[in-house]
């Protein structure tokens, strides 16, 4: 139930997604009077239409694969089909539980929730449905939306990820336009559910933001799973009729399927919100800030997907905490973008943090970078899980580790240690001295660092 807001707050947060609610929670924890404005649902895209529901689908997909492949482990299982009504009930139950928990947390911090779509109308004021809400500080956190391409209209059999989450049946065939994180995750889900899947990516590799070694490994794994993909050829047009969608690429190649998922990235939600009118600088829709996330206008700050950089919920969380502490004069350390971990939850998973090999060589020079790859085939737990993949370490020669990149089942759960290694600028010898539990996949990180430190245990010199 929304409260009737007052007119004077210490901090007014426009947007209740990951970055916005993190700002509000931390600011309230620090004793500030906070108003949090949200036109849809508290928790934003990540909780309701992105990170959480897609990962629920991916877990259901993993269970489908386990049932299909149980005989490999001596367990006689049979996959009788996918009950999308049941899958959606499970998915929606996860989201609902987290939503209720978040609502309770916000209420416990005495944060005033203002329901409605807000617009910045002054350096210290936001208007919501005709009501003017003022604050000593304003934090912009209006998030992002699913992009499309010029001339590509969403509707009918042409879907965004938000629409795909609501499907009540498994499509027989799917074309996924975009081979980044979102496209690769949905392709992985649908293949596990039994659909024929083709990914179209205009750049030379899948997950093009990752180290090229991981991209090539994902392509090999997808090819083995029967996920088709067409790389380096851009979308031209699509038509749809009762039989499905018909996609044409710039090369003249054509593809047909039941539906088309448009997964070409997310754009900043900043249009018609009054930002530019109040002097906030936008670049292609993104809010430009300094390293302290200040817009340069009055006491207006910005966090999350509207700020150029990685569009990740955990980046939004961190930025929200940072801004709240910055406003309170706590002088927190600025967030280093390269130190933020990234995970693609496909099968196999990708986990990475820090610089890719190419970026490291660009920054330090080809002769000043050392690379090591450790194959998960040498790891006992990976063997038990029947997964393949590797860990790739990037270090500055005779210096600290600047990148940790992994591919394989469940490697997203290992990226926490990788994050500590990169952010604390650890040397291989520092990590090699740590004891990792056996048998775990985490142990593979320890083995990789033993090898990089020049004293491999199970790996060859």
């Amino acid at each position: 139930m929304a409260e009737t807001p007052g007119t004077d707050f210490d901090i007014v947060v426009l947007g209740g997604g990951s970055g916005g609610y993190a700002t509000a929670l931390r600011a309230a924890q620090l004793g500030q009077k906070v108003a949090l404005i949200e036109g849809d649902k508290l928790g934003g895209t990540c909780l309701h239409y992105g990170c959480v529901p897609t990962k629920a689908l991916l877990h259901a997909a993993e269970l489908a694969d386990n049932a299909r492949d149980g005989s490999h482990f001596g367990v006689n299982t049979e996959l009788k089909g996918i009950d999308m009504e049941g899958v959606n009930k499970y998915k929606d139950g996860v989201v609902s539980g987290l939503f209720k928990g978040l609502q309770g947390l916000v209420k416990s911090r005495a944060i005033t929730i203002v329901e409605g779509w807000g617009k910045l109308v002054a350096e210290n004021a936001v208007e919501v449905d005709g009501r003017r809400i003022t604050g000593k500080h304003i934090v912009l956190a209006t998030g992002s939306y699913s992009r499309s391409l010029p001339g590509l209209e969403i509707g009918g059999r042409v879907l965004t990820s938000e629409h795909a989450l609501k499907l009540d049946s498994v499509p027989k065939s799917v074309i996924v336009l975009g081979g980044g994180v979102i496209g690769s995750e949905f392709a992985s889900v649908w293949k596990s559910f039994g659909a024929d899947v083709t990914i179209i990516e205009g750049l030379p590799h899948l997950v093009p933001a990752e180290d090229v070694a991981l991209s090539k490994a994902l392509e090999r794994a997808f090819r083995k799973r029967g996920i088709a993909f067409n790389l380096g050829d851009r979308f031209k047009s699509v038509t749809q009729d009762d039989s499905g969608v018909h996609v044409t690429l710039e090369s003249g190649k054509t593809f047909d399927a039941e539906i088309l998922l448009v997964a070409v990235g997310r754009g900043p939600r900043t249009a018609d919100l009054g930002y530019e009118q109040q002097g906030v600088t936008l670049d292609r829709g993104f809010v430009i800030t300094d390293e302290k996330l200040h817009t340069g206008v009055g006491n207006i700050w910005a966090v999350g997907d509207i700020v150029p950089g990685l569009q990740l919920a955990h980046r939004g969380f961190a930025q929200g905490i940072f801004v709240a502490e910055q406003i309170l004069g706590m002088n927190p350390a600025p967030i280093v973008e390269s130190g933020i971990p990234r995970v693609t939850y496909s099968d196999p998973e990708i986990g990475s943090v820090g610089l890719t090999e190419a970026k490291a060589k660009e920054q330090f020079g080809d002769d000043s970078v050392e690379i090591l790859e450790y194959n998960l085939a040498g790891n006992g737990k990976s063997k038990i899980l029947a997964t393949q993949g590797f860990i790739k370490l990037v270090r500055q020669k005779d210096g600290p580790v600047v990148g940790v990149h992994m591919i394989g089942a469940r490697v997203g759960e290992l990226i926490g240690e990788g994050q500590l290694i990169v952010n604390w600028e650890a040397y291989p010898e520092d990590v090699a001295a740590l004891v990792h539990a056996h048998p775990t996949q985490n142990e593979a990180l320890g083995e990789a660092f033993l090898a990089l430190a020049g004293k491999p245990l199970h790996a060859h010199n």
Side-chain angles (χ1 to χ4, degrees):
M1 189 77 176
E3 299 176 36
T4 302
T7 54
D8 292 303
F9 291 88
D10 296 312
I11 299 175
V12 174
V13 184
L14 181 53
S18 303
Y21 83 68
T23 306
L25 287 172
R26 182 62 177 136
Q29 190 179 48
L30 292 170
Q32 299 297 286
K33 185 180 180 184
V34 181
L36 181 58
I37 300 166
E38 174 55 50
D40 188 7
K41 293 180 180 178
L42 185 64
T45 295
C46 177
L47 176 55
H48 298 283
Y49 317 110
C51 327
V52 173
T54 56
K55 278 45 175 189
L57 288 184
L58 282 153
H59 182 60
E62 181 184 4
L63 293 176
D65 288 332
N66 288 341
R68 187 183 288 113
D69 302 331
S71 61
H72 176 82
F73 305 95
V75 179
N76 294 323
T77 55
E78 179 184 356
L79 180 62
K80 294 184 177 180
I82 304 297
D83 170 17
M84 280 307 298
E85 183 180 350
V87 170
N88 286 329
K89 182 179 179 182
Y90 149 69
K91 166 179 64 70
D92 295 343
V94 171
V95 171
S96 177
L98 291 171
F99 181 39
K100 289 176 181 175
L102 178 59
Q103 289 175 306
L105 183 59
V106 167
K107 185 177 181 180
S108 73
R109 300 262 175 104
I111 295 166
T112 298
I113 299 295
V114 182
E115 294 178 353
W117 298 103
K119 183 174 182 178
L120 187 66
V121 293
E123 288 185 7
N124 70 335
V126 173
E127 191 174 277
V128 184
D129 298 330
R131 296 172 292 170
R132 189 181 179 92
I133 300 162
T134 62
K136 297 174 186 175
H137 294 265
I138 305 291
V139 180
L140 310 177
T142 42
S144 61
Y145 64 93
S146 292
R147 283 189 188 276
S148 187
L149 296 174
L152 177 54
E153 292 188 15
I154 305 299
R157 295 177 179 272
V158 179
L159 316 176
T160 65
S161 57
E162 287 91 339
H163 303 125
L165 285 168
K166 298 176 182 178
L167 291 179
D168 57 8
S169 62
V170 178
K172 292 183 175 63
S173 56
V174 186
I175 296 170
V176 178
L177 182 58
V181 173
I182 296 171
S184 294
E185 289 184 352
F186 270 98
S188 190
V189 166
W190 278 324
K191 184 61 183 179
S192 295
F193 284 175
D196 290 327
V197 182
T198 301
I199 302 173
I200 295 170
E201 170 56 55
L203 294 175
H205 290 290
L206 297 180
V207 287
E210 295 295 342
D211 190 281
V212 69
L214 298 188
S215 295
K216 290 179 178 178
L218 184 66
E219 289 160 16
R220 289 193 297 271
F222 273 13
R223 196 177 290 116
K224 187 175 180 181
R225 289 186 61 194
I227 298 174
F229 47 87
N230 191 88
L231 306 174
D233 195 353
R234 295 188 180 276
F235 170 86
K236 182 180 180 182
S237 64
V238 61
T239 60
Q240 54 179 309
D241 53 33
D242 291 343
S243 67
V245 293
H246 314 284
V247 174
T248 302
L249 305 187
E250 289 183 351
S251 66
K253 289 182 181 178
T254 60
F255 298 85
D256 301 318
E258 188 177 314
I259 61 172
L260 170 66
L261 171 68
V262 180
V264 293
R266 298 187 64 82
R269 195 183 298 277
T270 56
D272 303 319
L273 294 178
Y275 293 178
E276 288 182 294
Q277 289 86 338
Q278 301 307 320
V280 174
T281 301
L282 300 184
D283 180 10
R284 293 167 298 149
F286 289 98
V287 176
I288 302 305
T289 70
D290 60 18
E291 69 167 7
K292 295 182 179 179
L293 299 175
H294 188 261
T295 64
V297 178
N299 286 327
I300 301 177
W301 310 76
V303 299
D305 285 2
I306 61 172
V307 179
L310 296 169
Q311 292 179 313
L312 298 169
H314 45 282
R315 174 182 181 254
F317 295 149
Q319 289 182 336
I321 294 168
F322 172 87
V323 163
E325 294 181 352
Q326 186 68 34
I327 288 171
L328 269 293
M330 299 173 68
N331 198 29
I335 297 163
V336 179
E337 195 85 2
S338 64
I340 298 173
R342 311 175 295 276
V343 182
T344 302
Y345 296 87
S346 53
D347 177 20
E349 281 187 0
I350 288 175
S352 59
V353 62
L355 302 179
T356 63
E357 178 180 353
K359 289 289 186 184
K361 287 182 174 178
E362 181 183 310
Q363 185 168 329
F364 304 117
D366 288 3
D367 297 331
S368 298
V369 173
E370 187 178 352
I371 304 298
L372 181 132
E373 287 190 14
Y374 176 81
N375 196 316
L376 291 181
N379 174 254
K381 187 60 179 288
S382 296
K383 204 78 170 176
I384 291 166
L385 294 174
T387 187
Q388 296 180 337
F390 59 87
I391 294 172
K392 179 175 180 177
L393 306 178
V394 182
R395 76 173 296 195
Q396 194 174 352
K397 190 166 286 185
D398 300 323
V401 175
V402 296
V404 176
H405 310 274
M406 300 177 276
I407 184 167
R410 306 182 187 180
V411 296
E413 300 298 332
L414 307 184
I415 203 60
E417 183 176 355
Q419 177 194 11
L420 295 177
I421 290 165
V422 169
N423 282 282
W424 286 345
E425 300 180 343
Y427 281 62
E429 296 76 14
D430 298 329
V431 185
L434 302 175
V435 180
H436 293 75
H438 172 78
T440 62
Q441 283 189 290
N442 182 243
E443 181 184 21
L445 264 177
E447 293 270 1
F449 278 96
L450 280 169
L452 190 56
K455 47 182 181 181
L457 183 59
H458 295 101
H460 296 290
N461 267 323

